Amino acid sequence: MTDYDARCLLETAHALADAAREATLMYFRSAALGVENKAGQGFDPVTRADRACEAAMRAILAERRPDDGILGEELDNIPSKSGLTWVLDPIDGTRGFMCGTPTWGVLIALADATGPILGVIDQPYIGERFLGGFGRAEFTGPHGGRALATAAPRPLSEASVFSTFPEVGSPEEGRAFAALAGQARLVRYGMDCYAYALVAMGHVDLVVEAGLHPYDIQAPIAVVEASGGIVTDWQGGPAHGGGRVIAAANPRVHAEALAILSAAA
């Protein structure tokens, strides 16, 4: 990895997360949310909070890191001059945000040509921040902080598996997930990015999803891998481009899950 100014980049990541907290909490559980549907078919919501949050983070980057690129969900991409790109999802879990649930989050990643090298998963409402990269894997919250570490190996039959949507993706992807879920001890849905944070914290064994964009997964990759986990696509390859993703607490449960998904999908 290139020798970056880690201190400066970490300070910038925290500044982005702080600004995102302020911007999102202005709208959370508010009548001024302003929901729109981005999808031609179906429902893909965006709110005033999404746009305000991304704009606030971009303003900080324009001042502090003008040569870095930006890949964001809501606004135009900016090409990188420095070789570094900030990958921003201002609200991962907009549906949950709309409904007032506190399991959405702000995703901030920093990537170079190899993929994400720093990631933040921040939950503004409950004040929790998960950070991974540059030799750090740490959690801070209202009751203090600690190092992050994923769960020790255990068989899939004893594992907990999370996914955001019960259908997972296409019918084919749904069948593959069902084959995996049928062998796990516990399956839960609807946590969005917070499920990846719980993998990093050691409470969840697997997150399996499909149809992701780069801004959905790059911050979770950095956080989970810094904490000792592994994140790949369903064939065991790189996942930072999105698509079908499996995040695992350790190589053992990853291998078991991957064998099922790669055969079924």
mmCIF file of all heavy atoms in Angstrom, residues 69-102:
data_model
loop_
_atom_site.group_PDB
_atom_site.id
_atom_site.type_symbol
_atom_site.label_atom_id
_atom_site.label_comp_id
_atom_site.label_asym_id
_atom_site.label_seq_id
_atom_site.Cartn_x
_atom_site.Cartn_y
_atom_site.Cartn_z
ATOM 1 N N GLY A 69 -10.789 12.147 -5.525
ATOM 2 C CA GLY A 69 -12.046 11.919 -6.216
ATOM 3 C C GLY A 69 -13.180 11.674 -5.237
ATOM 4 O O GLY A 69 -12.962 11.428 -4.047
ATOM 5 N N ILE A 70 -14.399 11.730 -5.745
ATOM 6 C CA ILE A 70 -15.589 11.441 -4.942
ATOM 7 C C ILE A 70 -16.528 10.573 -5.765
ATOM 8 O O ILE A 70 -16.878 10.913 -6.901
ATOM 9 C CB ILE A 70 -16.331 12.713 -4.503
ATOM 10 C CG1 ILE A 70 -15.417 13.642 -3.700
ATOM 11 C CG2 ILE A 70 -17.568 12.346 -3.675
ATOM 12 C CD1 ILE A 70 -16.063 14.974 -3.318
ATOM 13 N N LEU A 71 -16.923 9.452 -5.189
ATOM 14 C CA LEU A 71 -17.967 8.602 -5.746
ATOM 15 C C LEU A 71 -19.091 8.559 -4.721
ATOM 16 O O LEU A 71 -18.926 8.004 -3.628
ATOM 17 C CB LEU A 71 -17.437 7.189 -6.010
ATOM 18 C CG LEU A 71 -18.473 6.120 -6.388
ATOM 19 C CD1 LEU A 71 -19.197 6.501 -7.665
ATOM 20 C CD2 LEU A 71 -17.810 4.761 -6.521
ATOM 21 N N GLY A 72 -20.211 9.209 -5.037
ATOM 22 C CA GLY A 72 -21.314 9.286 -4.095
ATOM 23 C C GLY A 72 -22.598 8.778 -4.700
ATOM 24 O O GLY A 72 -22.735 8.672 -5.924
ATOM 25 N N GLU A 73 -23.564 8.490 -3.846
ATOM 26 C CA GLU A 73 -24.824 7.939 -4.333
ATOM 27 C C GLU A 73 -25.698 8.990 -4.984
ATOM 28 O O GLU A 73 -26.382 8.720 -5.975
ATOM 29 C CB GLU A 73 -25.596 7.278 -3.192
ATOM 30 C CG GLU A 73 -26.915 6.681 -3.668
ATOM 31 C CD GLU A 73 -27.674 5.915 -2.612
ATOM 32 O OE1 GLU A 73 -27.295 5.988 -1.427
ATOM 33 O OE2 GLU A 73 -28.646 5.245 -2.976
ATOM 34 N N GLU A 74 -25.708 10.210 -4.468
ATOM 35 C CA GLU A 74 -26.728 11.167 -4.869
ATOM 36 C C GLU A 74 -26.254 12.245 -5.835
ATOM 37 O O GLU A 74 -27.072 12.827 -6.535
ATOM 38 C CB GLU A 74 -27.323 11.835 -3.619
ATOM 39 C CG GLU A 74 -27.869 10.878 -2.584
ATOM 40 C CD GLU A 74 -28.954 9.959 -3.115
ATOM 41 O OE1 GLU A 74 -29.546 10.262 -4.168
ATOM 42 O OE2 GLU A 74 -29.190 8.912 -2.486
ATOM 43 N N LEU A 75 -24.956 12.547 -5.856
ATOM 44 C CA LEU A 75 -24.455 13.652 -6.672
ATOM 45 C C LEU A 75 -23.409 13.146 -7.658
ATOM 46 O O LEU A 75 -22.958 12.002 -7.582
ATOM 47 C CB LEU A 75 -23.876 14.737 -5.758
ATOM 48 C CG LEU A 75 -24.872 15.306 -4.734
ATOM 49 C CD1 LEU A 75 -24.163 16.231 -3.749
ATOM 50 C CD2 LEU A 75 -26.011 16.024 -5.426
ATOM 51 N N ASP A 76 -23.004 14.003 -8.596
ATOM 52 C CA ASP A 76 -22.115 13.580 -9.674
ATOM 53 C C ASP A 76 -20.748 13.151 -9.151
ATOM 54 O O ASP A 76 -20.224 13.722 -8.185
ATOM 55 C CB ASP A 76 -21.932 14.722 -10.671
ATOM 56 C CG ASP A 76 -23.204 15.024 -11.454
ATOM 57 O OD1 ASP A 76 -24.075 14.136 -11.516
ATOM 58 O OD2 ASP A 76 -23.313 16.145 -11.984
ATOM 59 N N ASN A 77 -20.176 12.175 -9.831
ATOM 60 C CA ASN A 77 -18.841 11.709 -9.463
ATOM 61 C C ASN A 77 -17.787 12.734 -9.861
ATOM 62 O O ASN A 77 -17.917 13.448 -10.862
ATOM 63 C CB ASN A 77 -18.541 10.379 -10.152
ATOM 64 C CG ASN A 77 -19.481 9.276 -9.725
ATOM 65 O OD1 ASN A 77 -20.068 9.338 -8.650
ATOM 66 N ND2 ASN A 77 -19.631 8.269 -10.558
ATOM 67 N N ILE A 78 -16.717 12.807 -9.062
ATOM 68 C CA ILE A 78 -15.591 13.686 -9.333
ATOM 69 C C ILE A 78 -14.352 12.814 -9.515
ATOM 70 O O ILE A 78 -13.997 12.041 -8.616
ATOM 71 C CB ILE A 78 -15.370 14.679 -8.175
ATOM 72 C CG1 ILE A 78 -16.580 15.602 -8.035
ATOM 73 C CG2 ILE A 78 -14.087 15.479 -8.393
ATOM 74 C CD1 ILE A 78 -16.488 16.562 -6.864
ATOM 75 N N PRO A 79 -13.684 12.877 -10.666
ATOM 76 C CA PRO A 79 -12.501 12.046 -10.872
ATOM 77 C C PRO A 79 -11.345 12.443 -9.956
ATOM 78 O O PRO A 79 -11.209 13.607 -9.567
ATOM 79 C CB PRO A 79 -12.140 12.277 -12.339
ATOM 80 C CG PRO A 79 -13.021 13.345 -12.845
ATOM 81 C CD PRO A 79 -14.026 13.702 -11.809
ATOM 82 N N SER A 80 -10.531 11.470 -9.618
ATOM 83 C CA SER A 80 -9.422 11.701 -8.704
ATOM 84 C C SER A 80 -8.174 12.188 -9.437
ATOM 85 O O SER A 80 -7.837 11.691 -10.502
ATOM 86 C CB SER A 80 -9.091 10.402 -7.961
ATOM 87 O OG SER A 80 -7.962 10.581 -7.137
ATOM 88 N N LYS A 81 -7.498 13.154 -8.836
ATOM 89 C CA LYS A 81 -6.187 13.601 -9.304
ATOM 90 C C LYS A 81 -5.065 13.040 -8.433
ATOM 91 O O LYS A 81 -3.909 13.058 -8.812
ATOM 92 C CB LYS A 81 -6.115 15.128 -9.310
ATOM 93 C CG LYS A 81 -7.135 15.798 -10.214
ATOM 94 C CD LYS A 81 -7.051 17.311 -10.080
ATOM 95 C CE LYS A 81 -8.115 18.003 -10.917
ATOM 96 N NZ LYS A 81 -8.085 19.488 -10.727
ATOM 97 N N SER A 82 -5.426 12.566 -7.247
ATOM 98 C CA SER A 82 -4.431 12.122 -6.269
ATOM 99 C C SER A 82 -4.242 10.613 -6.239
ATOM 100 O O SER A 82 -3.301 10.118 -5.621
ATOM 101 C CB SER A 82 -4.874 12.570 -4.875
ATOM 102 O OG SER A 82 -6.065 11.890 -4.497
ATOM 103 N N GLY A 83 -5.143 9.882 -6.883
ATOM 104 C CA GLY A 83 -5.140 8.431 -6.770
ATOM 105 C C GLY A 83 -6.027 7.916 -5.658
ATOM 106 O O GLY A 83 -6.177 6.704 -5.484
ATOM 107 N N LEU A 84 -6.641 8.829 -4.907
ATOM 108 C CA LEU A 84 -7.535 8.461 -3.818
ATOM 109 C C LEU A 84 -8.958 8.938 -4.133
ATOM 110 O O LEU A 84 -9.143 10.023 -4.689
ATOM 111 C CB LEU A 84 -7.088 9.089 -2.499
ATOM 112 C CG LEU A 84 -5.751 8.616 -1.941
ATOM 113 C CD1 LEU A 84 -5.364 9.449 -0.719
ATOM 114 C CD2 LEU A 84 -5.815 7.137 -1.576
ATOM 115 N N THR A 85 -9.942 8.130 -3.765
ATOM 116 C CA THR A 85 -11.342 8.473 -3.991
ATOM 117 C C THR A 85 -12.139 8.211 -2.721
ATOM 118 O O THR A 85 -12.029 7.136 -2.113
ATOM 119 C CB THR A 85 -11.930 7.642 -5.146
ATOM 120 O OG1 THR A 85 -11.237 7.963 -6.359
ATOM 121 C CG2 THR A 85 -13.414 7.933 -5.327
ATOM 122 N N TRP A 86 -12.950 9.180 -2.319
ATOM 123 C CA TRP A 86 -13.874 9.019 -1.198
ATOM 124 C C TRP A 86 -15.182 8.463 -1.741
ATOM 125 O O TRP A 86 -15.758 9.005 -2.689
ATOM 126 C CB TRP A 86 -14.101 10.361 -0.507
ATOM 127 C CG TRP A 86 -12.858 10.884 0.146
ATOM 128 C CD1 TRP A 86 -11.897 11.675 -0.430
ATOM 129 C CD2 TRP A 86 -12.417 10.615 1.470
ATOM 130 N NE1 TRP A 86 -10.886 11.922 0.463
ATOM 131 C CE2 TRP A 86 -11.173 11.279 1.647
ATOM 132 C CE3 TRP A 86 -12.939 9.887 2.536
ATOM 133 C CZ2 TRP A 86 -10.462 11.236 2.834
ATOM 134 C CZ3 TRP A 86 -12.232 9.838 3.734
ATOM 135 C CH2 TRP A 86 -11.008 10.494 3.872
ATOM 136 N N VAL A 87 -15.642 7.386 -1.140
ATOM 137 C CA VAL A 87 -16.846 6.689 -1.584
ATOM 138 C C VAL A 87 -17.911 6.895 -0.506
ATOM 139 O O VAL A 87 -17.746 6.427 0.629
ATOM 140 C CB VAL A 87 -16.566 5.196 -1.820
ATOM 141 C CG1 VAL A 87 -17.800 4.510 -2.396
ATOM 142 C CG2 VAL A 87 -15.372 5.014 -2.763
ATOM 143 N N LEU A 88 -18.986 7.599 -0.851
ATOM 144 C CA LEU A 88 -19.931 8.113 0.144
ATOM 145 C C LEU A 88 -21.341 7.583 -0.092
ATOM 146 O O LEU A 88 -21.877 7.685 -1.200
ATOM 147 C CB LEU A 88 -19.974 9.642 0.081
ATOM 148 C CG LEU A 88 -18.641 10.393 0.143
ATOM 149 C CD1 LEU A 88 -18.877 11.894 -0.049
ATOM 150 C CD2 LEU A 88 -17.918 10.116 1.448
ATOM 151 N N ASP A 89 -21.921 7.048 0.946
ATOM 152 C CA ASP A 89 -23.352 6.749 0.951
ATOM 153 C C ASP A 89 -23.946 7.533 2.114
ATOM 154 O O ASP A 89 -23.789 7.153 3.274
ATOM 155 C CB ASP A 89 -23.588 5.244 1.136
ATOM 156 C CG ASP A 89 -25.039 4.856 0.887
ATOM 157 O OD1 ASP A 89 -25.894 5.766 0.834
ATOM 158 O OD2 ASP A 89 -25.332 3.655 0.759
ATOM 159 N N PRO A 90 -24.603 8.663 1.824
ATOM 160 C CA PRO A 90 -25.011 9.553 2.907
ATOM 161 C C PRO A 90 -26.002 8.919 3.880
ATOM 162 O O PRO A 90 -25.947 9.196 5.077
ATOM 163 C CB PRO A 90 -25.631 10.747 2.174
ATOM 164 C CG PRO A 90 -25.978 10.225 0.816
ATOM 165 C CD PRO A 90 -24.956 9.189 0.498
ATOM 166 N N ILE A 91 -26.918 8.104 3.362
ATOM 167 C CA ILE A 91 -27.800 7.320 4.239
ATOM 168 C C ILE A 91 -27.945 5.936 3.624
ATOM 169 O O ILE A 91 -28.629 5.769 2.604
ATOM 170 C CB ILE A 91 -29.189 7.965 4.417
ATOM 171 C CG1 ILE A 91 -29.066 9.340 5.065
ATOM 172 C CG2 ILE A 91 -30.085 7.058 5.275
ATOM 173 C CD1 ILE A 91 -30.385 10.068 5.220
ATOM 174 N N ASP A 92 -27.288 4.966 4.205
ATOM 175 C CA ASP A 92 -27.481 3.586 3.798
ATOM 176 C C ASP A 92 -28.632 3.037 4.637
ATOM 177 O O ASP A 92 -28.510 2.888 5.851
ATOM 178 C CB ASP A 92 -26.211 2.769 4.040
ATOM 179 C CG ASP A 92 -26.369 1.343 3.556
ATOM 180 O OD1 ASP A 92 -26.200 1.112 2.353
ATOM 181 O OD2 ASP A 92 -26.674 0.463 4.389
ATOM 182 N N GLY A 93 -29.750 2.765 3.956
ATOM 183 C CA GLY A 93 -30.950 2.361 4.683
ATOM 184 C C GLY A 93 -31.991 3.468 4.706
ATOM 185 O O GLY A 93 -32.610 3.735 5.736
ATOM 186 N N THR A 94 -32.187 4.112 3.555
ATOM 187 C CA THR A 94 -33.138 5.220 3.500
ATOM 188 C C THR A 94 -34.554 4.765 3.860
ATOM 189 O O THR A 94 -35.305 5.519 4.482
ATOM 190 C CB THR A 94 -33.121 5.874 2.104
ATOM 191 O OG1 THR A 94 -31.800 6.375 1.842
ATOM 192 C CG2 THR A 94 -34.102 7.036 2.020
ATOM 193 N N ARG A 95 -34.910 3.541 3.500
ATOM 194 C CA ARG A 95 -36.240 3.039 3.865
ATOM 195 C C ARG A 95 -36.397 3.004 5.391
ATOM 196 O O ARG A 95 -37.435 3.378 5.935
ATOM 197 C CB ARG A 95 -36.470 1.651 3.270
ATOM 198 C CG ARG A 95 -36.587 1.637 1.740
ATOM 199 C CD ARG A 95 -36.552 0.214 1.213
ATOM 200 N NE ARG A 95 -36.708 0.147 -0.229
ATOM 201 C CZ ARG A 95 -35.719 0.325 -1.105
ATOM 202 N NH1 ARG A 95 -34.482 0.593 -0.655
ATOM 203 N NH2 ARG A 95 -35.938 0.243 -2.405
ATOM 204 N N GLY A 96 -35.374 2.527 6.089
ATOM 205 C CA GLY A 96 -35.413 2.533 7.541
ATOM 206 C C GLY A 96 -35.436 3.946 8.104
ATOM 207 O O GLY A 96 -36.149 4.234 9.072
ATOM 208 N N PHE A 97 -34.651 4.834 7.507
ATOM 209 C CA PHE A 97 -34.634 6.245 7.913
ATOM 210 C C PHE A 97 -36.036 6.836 7.828
ATOM 211 O O PHE A 97 -36.505 7.524 8.743
ATOM 212 C CB PHE A 97 -33.667 7.002 7.004
ATOM 213 C CG PHE A 97 -33.387 8.415 7.421
ATOM 214 C CD1 PHE A 97 -32.273 8.710 8.188
ATOM 215 C CD2 PHE A 97 -34.213 9.453 7.036
ATOM 216 C CE1 PHE A 97 -31.989 10.027 8.562
ATOM 217 C CE2 PHE A 97 -33.941 10.761 7.395
ATOM 218 C CZ PHE A 97 -32.830 11.049 8.167
ATOM 219 N N MET A 98 -36.720 6.563 6.709
ATOM 220 C CA MET A 98 -38.079 7.059 6.512
ATOM 221 C C MET A 98 -39.024 6.576 7.599
ATOM 222 O O MET A 98 -39.938 7.298 8.012
ATOM 223 C CB MET A 98 -38.632 6.559 5.171
ATOM 224 C CG MET A 98 -38.045 7.182 3.945
ATOM 225 S SD MET A 98 -38.587 6.238 2.492
ATOM 226 C CE MET A 98 -40.335 6.069 2.814
ATOM 227 N N CYS A 99 -38.809 5.329 8.043
ATOM 228 C CA CYS A 99 -39.718 4.709 9.011
ATOM 229 C C CYS A 99 -39.340 5.009 10.458
ATOM 230 O O CYS A 99 -40.024 4.561 11.388
ATOM 231 C CB CYS A 99 -39.750 3.199 8.790
ATOM 232 S SG CYS A 99 -40.431 2.710 7.187
ATOM 233 N N GLY A 100 -38.250 5.737 10.665
ATOM 234 C CA GLY A 100 -37.856 6.107 12.015
ATOM 235 C C GLY A 100 -37.049 5.067 12.760
ATOM 236 O O GLY A 100 -36.807 5.216 13.959
ATOM 237 N N THR A 101 -36.603 4.017 12.080
ATOM 238 C CA THR A 101 -35.784 3.010 12.762
ATOM 239 C C THR A 101 -34.341 3.495 12.866
ATOM 240 O O THR A 101 -33.844 4.181 11.971
ATOM 241 C CB THR A 101 -35.812 1.665 12.023
ATOM 242 O OG1 THR A 101 -35.179 1.806 10.750
ATOM 243 C CG2 THR A 101 -37.231 1.180 11.827
ATOM 244 N N PRO A 102 -33.620 3.132 13.918
ATOM 245 C CA PRO A 102 -32.252 3.634 14.114
ATOM 246 C C PRO A 102 -31.164 2.699 13.598
ATOM 247 O O PRO A 102 -30.065 2.653 14.141
ATOM 248 C CB PRO A 102 -32.169 3.763 15.633
ATOM 249 C CG PRO A 102 -33.004 2.633 16.129
ATOM 250 C CD PRO A 102 -34.125 2.471 15.137
#
